[in-house]
Amino acid sequence: RKEVEQDPGPFNVPEGATVAFNCTYSNSASQSFFWYRQDCRKEPKLLMSVYSSGNEDGRFTAQLNRASQYISLLIRDSKLSDSATYLCVVNLSGGGYNKLIFGAGTRLAVHP
Amino acid sequence: DADVTQTPRNRITKTGKRIMLECSQTKGHDRMYWYRQDPGLGLRLIYYSFDVKDINKGEISDGYSVSRQAQAKFSLSLESAIPNQTALYFCATSDRTDSSYNEQFFGPGTRLTVL
């Protein structure tokens, strides 16, 4: 079983749609959680951290359910520029050392 | 100018050749990492370094070695390249912190093909 599992997609949605991505992780000792965005043939970049209480950044909302070991990302009012691969990332280590485990990513394609 | 740079950006080589991938950063971060990315798989950690004198193996270090020449430079070597090392390689950096919510900053990647 993969340590971080995501639906690979692709999710093909029209502009303005709301889309949700899910992610599950296997290690209950995981300390912190993130969504990274990766454009085609580019490097990953942090989109947002995911906190226990859930958090929102503009059109993006992230939720964490520790009991179910489940993380979600909701994108409202999708833009063409949201087309990318979204990586679910889990940090297994406490303190400052990042032992990051990356999911394989969910691809989103937003069309006009 | 990019904060994390990698050279070369693309490389094609033959089985058995020695290859070095270089990473430099101007972010002043202590921590540096090397990952590889394969289609359908997440990024996997090869080696990481907390500072110049601290180098550690990651999940998939076999067949690779590293050198931390300075705080700003971290090189990855393939001593004898093999075709299954064909992948996209990323260098990353992070700041020193006690928080587990610590962002990693990635370089643009090196696409390596081993024939």
Side-chain angles (χ1 to χ4, degrees):
Chain A
R1 181 185 173 189
K2 292 182 181 178
E3 291 189 81
V4 178
E5 296 208 53
Q6 299 182 248
D7 181 340
F11 284 63
N12 293 297
V13 303
E15 278 185 286
T18 295
V19 61
F21 305 140
N22 302 319
C23 167
T24 58
Y25 60 96
S26 61
N27 193 326
S28 61
S30 299
Q31 298 289 316
S32 53
F33 310 88
F34 310 87
W35 285 100
Y36 275 71
R37 171 191 168 130
Q38 186 174 23
D39 292 316
C40 187
R41 298 181 181 273
K42 300 283 190 178
E43 71 273 24
K45 293 183 179 179
L46 180 65
L47 176 66
M48 59 195 302
S49 301
V50 187
Y51 302 108
S52 296
S53 55
N55 47 296
E56 186 173 308
D57 183 2
R59 297 181 293 108
F60 299 85
T61 300
Q63 298 276 351
L64 168 64
N65 184 323
R66 283 188 181 268
S68 301
Q69 295 179 202
Y70 171 97
I71 305 160
S72 65
L73 177 68
L74 182 76
I75 305 175
R76 290 181 299 278
D77 189 22
S78 297
K79 311 292 185 190
L80 295 176
S81 57
D82 293 334
S83 297
T85 297
Y86 291 83
L87 309 178
C88 178
V89 184
V90 171
N91 183 2
L92 294 184
S93 297
Y97 165 51
N98 310 69
K99 180 173 168 45
L100 298 185
I101 305 298
F102 287 78
T106 298
R107 193 154 67 88
L108 172 65
V110 181
H111 58 82
Chain B
D1 288 340
D3 294 321
V4 185
T5 58
Q6 292 182 233
T7 57
R9 294 294 312 280
N10 290 281
R11 182 72 184 268
I12 300 174
T13 191
K14 295 182 179 180
T15 297
K17 294 292 188 181
R18 184 178 187 274
I19 297 296
M20 179 179 285
L21 309 183
E22 301 194 8
C23 176
S24 294
Q25 52 114 348
T26 58
K27 299 186 77 67
H29 288 167
D30 288 325
R31 298 171 181 183
M32 299 187 74
Y33 311 81
W34 275 105
Y35 293 90
R36 66 177 278 175
Q37 186 175 36
D38 298 276
L41 298 177
L43 277 75
R44 291 180 292 166
L45 183 64
I46 305 171
Y47 270 95
Y48 62 98
S49 170
F50 272 9
D51 62 38
V52 174
K53 297 181 180 179
D54 180 30
I55 292 177
N56 304 278
K57 293 183 177 180
E59 178 187 354
I60 52 165
S61 59
D62 287 349
Y64 301 94
S65 62
V66 290
S67 172
R68 185 84 184 264
Q69 302 94 323
Q71 187 205 36
K73 295 184 182 297
F74 193 34
S75 300
L76 176 72
S77 293
L78 288 67
E79 296 300 327
S80 179
I82 55 177
N84 76 0
Q85 291 177 313
T86 294
L88 183 56
Y89 289 84
F90 287 105
C91 173
T93 74
S94 68
D95 203 356
R96 180 192 301 266
T97 176
D98 291 333
S99 172
S100 63
Y101 279 94
N102 189 12
E103 181 178 358
Q104 287 191 9
F105 297 84
F106 287 82
T110 295
R111 188 166 297 277
L112 177 66
T113 302
V114 184
L115 302 177

